[in-house]
Amino acid sequence: MKKWKLVLLILLSLLLIFIIVTVFNTMRVSSKQPTPEETTILLNEEEAIARFSESLTYKTISYQDRSKFDFAEFDRFIFYLEESYPEVHDQLELEKINEYALVYKWEGSDKNKNPIGLTGHYDVVPVLEGTEENWKQDPFSGAIVDGVIWGRGTLDDKIGVIGILEAVSYLIEQDFQPTRDMYFMFGFDEEIGGEKGAKAIVDTLEDSGITFDFVLDEGGAIVKNMVPGVDHPVGVVGIAEKGSATAELSIEGSGGHSSQPKSSTNIGRIAAAIAKLEETQFDADLQGPGKALFEYVAPEMSFGMKYVFANSFVFEPLIENILLDEPASAALIRTTIAPTIFQAGEQYNALPERASAVINLRLMPGETLESVQEFIEETIADEKINVTVSGSESSKVSSYDTWQFEVIQKAARNVYSDAIIAPYLMFAGSDAKHYDRISENTYRFLPVLLTSEDLERMHGTNEHISVDNYVNAIKVYAEVIMVANE
Ligand SMILES: [Zn+2]
């Protein structure tokens, strides 16, 4: 046999082996979705909706400046809960921490099992001054118009608090008895970090030696048309949240008259430093929660997409390049760099003596404030620039190949049988991170079906939710409690 024929034969054999291996990998991909059992929950919807609507009228607004809190509204809200859910307050123990953080305990029958917690927050963000006019319904009216409930908290996150209480109330009516201790924990300052709410709740529970098998908080939703190539709506459950760091870059030195500048100025050096950071970027790596999302979504895709994701050992660089094309998917696989403030100069003909910039970075799990500081210093390589980094570390990554995660999947699919429920990485912060200390797993999921435009309304204008969505959220919470206690 001629030499070139032999080479060709070897190459063809290798190609054949490659095809066999990769197709075999693809064939092995199977759905990670549990089979749903359609929910049988029947609610008195009219009453449930009316109670939710009224809960939205209390102005439980949290402000960065704590002295601005109107605690009379918080008192009225708590009183409203007691009045609206008498059976819950009858059957469950209620402990108030820092007066306004609420911890309800529903005693289970089996002391050998670890408790499970459901959590949410009833504070809401203020309505931005000057945007009141743009609301189609008053943000604190709780108006119900054409099957839609309007107001602050309909998405973030009175829906969680009232939805959970409504679910508990329903289960009590059905004489349901949990096997595990169930905790329902509601913060009142999540929007400003949760220091006095969630964090204080966790401190108290930690002192009593309580550890959860899992805690469910607000977070990702079920989103239509979220993943190209997947017809089903995809419900994303945050198994981790990114850290948020503030890096300040500053430089001080001689100013001087603008008629005879040095070749290097303060503004120029800070600008150059930012340009270098944007050019370099943190390494992208499809790992952890981002990778997990695709592991769960890929089985529902076409053969081609399944093939690519099932053989990520070959295609990972290609997948990463595609994800880097869009800011939302890029944020899933790398620490992001966002310059948000730039300050220098006052007068057109004077060189400023000081220039500074603030960069907001969102940290991937595994990245730390320390490693961010190192990265910035190494990248800008300018000793005259002072770099300080502060902020919050990324959360722990919860496991998803577990019965706990399957509880969430099952509960959601019992109500939304069509939805694919997958793990993912949350970019925004939540109270959930406080629970990392006392819970094996923390999941971040708001069981409602939304479009991506709905998500933008969360802290914005015209926050609202459809009546159907609200009713389904109650059902999912009730299903979580039932499935977790099977
Ligand atoms: Zn929230």
Side-chain angles (χ1 to χ4, degrees):
M1 202 188 287
K2 291 218 174 83
K3 203 177 163 194
W4 69 265
K5 276 192 176 165
L6 186 66
V7 171
L8 189 67
L9 198 64
I10 291 172
L11 284 178
L12 281 174
S13 320
L14 285 175
L15 182 66
L16 193 65
I17 291 170
F18 177 79
I19 292 172
I20 290 171
V21 169
T22 51
V23 169
F24 179 70
N25 281 344
T26 314
M27 306 296 276
R28 272 194 337 182
V29 170
S30 61
S31 175
K32 291 179 182 291
Q33 303 303 315
T35 313
E37 294 162 47
E38 205 186 324
T39 187
T40 54
I41 297 171
L42 270 177
L43 299 166
N44 184 333
E45 297 184 8
E46 211 169 309
E47 284 181 14
I49 293 158
R51 280 189 286 264
F52 184 42
S53 159
E54 185 171 343
S55 78
L56 302 167
T57 62
Y58 300 96
K59 295 184 174 168
T60 50
I61 304 169
S62 62
Y63 298 94
Q64 288 300 333
D65 175 358
R66 284 188 185 263
S67 69
K68 283 188 171 173
F69 273 64
D70 181 358
F71 282 112
E73 291 285 328
F74 288 71
D75 285 322
R76 289 176 56 219
F77 181 80
I78 292 174
F79 182 70
Y80 174 69
L81 296 185
E82 286 163 8
E83 274 207 310
S84 308
Y85 301 100
E87 55 305 312
V88 175
H89 289 81
D90 216 42
Q91 296 266 322
L92 277 62
E93 266 168 55
L94 169 61
E95 186 182 356
K96 294 176 187 165
I97 295 161
N98 288 331
E99 280 181 72
Y100 298 103
L102 310 176
V103 179
Y104 293 88
K105 180 184 174 189
W106 196 0
E107 194 126 358
S109 53
D110 185 350
K111 290 292 148 210
N112 294 319
K113 288 183 172 170
N114 276 338
I116 282 169
L118 271 58
T119 179
H121 64 92
Y122 65 92
D123 61 314
V124 296
V125 292
V127 172
L128 217 63
E129 223 172 292
T131 65
E132 298 91 341
E133 299 287 289
N134 303 336
W135 282 73
K136 291 188 187 144
Q137 302 292 332
D138 183 283
F140 293 96
S141 63
I144 305 169
V145 185
D146 299 333
V148 173
I149 313 168
W150 293 77
R152 271 280 181 262
T154 47
L155 288 170
D156 186 10
D157 174 39
K158 277 181 180 158
I159 183 172
V161 176
I162 303 295
I164 289 168
L165 287 173
E166 206 64 59
V168 175
S169 162
Y170 164 82
L171 291 170
I172 291 173
E173 258 171 45
Q174 306 295 310
D175 290 322
F176 177 85
Q177 172 65 45
T179 52
R180 308 159 174 280
D181 287 350
M182 297 295 301
Y183 284 79
F184 309 104
M185 304 160 290
F186 305 129
F188 67 100
D189 62 348
E190 189 272 348
E191 298 294 355
I192 57 166
E195 240 358 73
K196 297 260 160 93
K199 186 171 172 292
I201 292 175
V202 172
D203 288 342
T204 308
L205 295 176
E206 193 176 33
D207 285 346
S208 329
I210 288 160
T211 49
F212 293 103
D213 270 346
F214 74 84
V215 168
L216 172 65
D217 192 10
E218 61 173 341
I222 305 170
V223 187
K224 291 176 214 167
N225 308 321
M226 187 181 83
V227 184
V230 180
D231 298 331
H232 302 266
V234 177
V236 287
V237 179
I239 56 168
E241 59 194 74
K242 287 181 115 176
S244 176
T246 303
E248 192 186 9
L249 276 52
S250 64
I251 186 166
E252 287 187 56
S254 54
H257 197 276
S258 64
S259 60
Q260 36 195 319
K262 292 184 196 146
S263 59
S264 163
T265 61
N266 290 343
I267 288 182
R269 287 173 85 151
I270 294 284
I274 291 177
K276 269 190 217 163
L277 288 169
E278 287 187 334
E279 208 172 289
T280 311
Q281 297 288 350
F282 284 84
D283 284 339
D285 187 8
L286 184 61
Q287 44 113 344
K291 189 166 189 172
L293 170 63
F294 291 105
E295 274 170 25
Y296 275 63
V297 169
E300 319 300 330
M301 293 174 145
S302 62
F303 184 85
M305 296 299 272
K306 242 190 270 186
Y307 180 81
V308 170
F309 283 103
N311 296 289
S312 59
F313 69 102
V314 188
F315 297 111
E316 201 168 295
L318 176 78
I319 299 170
E320 283 166 0
N321 271 325
I322 293 171
L323 294 175
L324 285 177
D325 260 0
E326 289 291 331
S329 49
L332 201 60
I333 58 168
R334 75 173 170 207
T335 295
T336 52
I337 301 172
T340 46
I341 301 174
F342 197 107
Q343 277 175 325
E346 274 172 37
Q347 208 175 302
Y348 83 95
N349 61 355
L351 289 161
E353 279 175 24
R354 187 173 195 278
S356 67
V358 171
I359 302 171
N360 183 239
L361 302 105
R362 299 298 169 101
L363 281 51
M364 287 294 281
E367 198 86 60
T368 62
L369 296 175
E370 204 184 322
S371 66
V372 162
Q373 170 118 20
E374 269 169 35
F375 172 84
I376 295 176
E377 283 172 350
E378 265 170 39
T379 306
I380 66 176
D382 186 337
E383 301 219 316
K384 272 205 79 187
I385 296 178
N386 183 45
V387 180
T388 57
V389 176
S390 61
S392 59
E393 304 279 7
S394 55
S395 76
K396 167 172 111 176
V397 180
S398 292
S399 40
Y400 50 90
D401 200 5
T402 56
W403 67 266
Q404 288 101 324
F405 189 77
E406 208 177 303
V407 168
I408 310 286
Q409 281 187 302
K410 217 163 170 259
R413 281 171 59 82
N414 288 352
V415 179
Y416 295 97
S417 58
D418 188 32
I420 303 307
I421 308 297
Y424 95 121
L425 175 65
M426 221 166 80
F427 304 158
S430 77
D431 268 347
K433 60 180 170 294
H434 297 297
Y435 289 91
D436 276 349
R437 260 192 288 152
I438 56 165
S439 186
E440 204 184 314
N441 297 286
T442 48
Y443 299 126
R444 301 153 176 85
F445 180 55
L446 186 70
V448 292
L449 178 63
L450 303 173
T451 61
S452 28
E453 296 93 72
D454 290 325
L455 292 173
E456 284 162 25
R457 281 196 281 270
M458 251 193 200
H459 282 188
T461 303
N462 287 319
E463 190 176 339
H464 64 247
I465 187 96
S466 73
V467 162
D468 291 346
N469 248 323
Y470 174 60
V471 169
N472 284 337
I474 301 170
K475 290 183 182 176
V476 177
Y477 286 127
E479 287 285 342
V480 168
I481 299 170
M482 290 192 291
V483 177
N485 285 285
E486 260 164 18

